[in-house]
């Protein structure tokens, strides 16, 4: 999958839930290059929760579009960055919504890791 176009269902702009219309559409884009400390995952299952609705509707006034909802997922690893030794292609992994949190700041040490602004 690395280097190919990524296909997903997402939105190109915020939508109004009150209108009752489904706005997800198939979108394609070229993914960023795989970093040395990242893995690529073929998503086989993904959760959608309330925070995704806030992003889809720009309820928090911080959404960046186009946007593909879903941030808790599982699937097999399809590529591994050069620095990683604990994962290999084919490993089944699960990803939580908290990505690259530092684990040491006040937010992380008070169960608010989702608010972390990592320095790296």
């Amino acid at each position: 999958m690395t280097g190919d176009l990524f296909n997903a269902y997402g939105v190109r702009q915020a939508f109004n839930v009150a209108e009752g219309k489904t706005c997800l559409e198939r979108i394609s884009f070229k993914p960023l290059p795989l970093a040395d400390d990242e893995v690529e995952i073929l998503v086989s299952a993904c959760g959608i929760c309330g925070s995704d609705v806030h992003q889809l509707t720009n309820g928090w006034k911080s959404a960046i579009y186009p946007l593909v909802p879903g941030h808790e997922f599982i699937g097999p690893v399809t590529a591994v960055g050069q620095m990683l030794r604990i994962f290999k292609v084919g490993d089944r992994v699960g990803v939580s919504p908290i990505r690259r949190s530092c684990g040491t700041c006040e937010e992380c040490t008070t169960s608010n890791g989702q608010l972390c602004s990592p320095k790296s």
Side-chain angles (χ1 to χ4, degrees):
M1 184 185 330
T2 301
D4 295 337
L5 281 180
F6 178 81
N7 295 299
Y9 285 93
V11 295
R12 297 187 189 283
Q13 62 186 23
F15 73 99
N16 184 342
V17 176
E19 292 176 3
K21 296 179 182 175
T22 302
C23 67
L24 295 179
E25 61 182 281
R26 189 172 179 138
I27 58 176
S28 298
F29 59 91
K30 187 167 180 64
L32 296 173
L34 186 68
D36 288 343
D37 63 345
E38 295 179 332
V39 295
E40 178 180 86
I41 302 166
L42 178 62
V43 176
S44 56
C46 178
I48 304 292
C49 70
S51 61
D52 293 302
V53 174
H54 290 292
Q55 289 293 88
L56 289 167
T57 62
N58 202 19
W60 291 329
K61 307 295 185 226
S62 63
I64 299 171
Y65 299 95
L67 183 142
V68 176
H71 53 271
E72 300 159 329
F73 52 91
I74 61 170
V77 172
T78 56
V80 179
Q82 294 180 3
M83 290 175 30
L84 293 179
R85 302 288 179 255
I86 61 173
F87 299 107
K88 63 183 183 308
V89 171
D91 285 349
R92 185 173 170 88
V93 296
V95 178
S96 77
I98 300 175
R99 179 181 161 261
R100 293 185 190 243
S101 56
C102 72
T104 59
C105 69
E106 181 179 352
E107 288 83 4
C108 286
T109 58
T110 57
S111 298
N112 291 303
Q114 74 278 11
L115 302 176
C116 175
S117 297
K119 310 293 186 273
S120 61

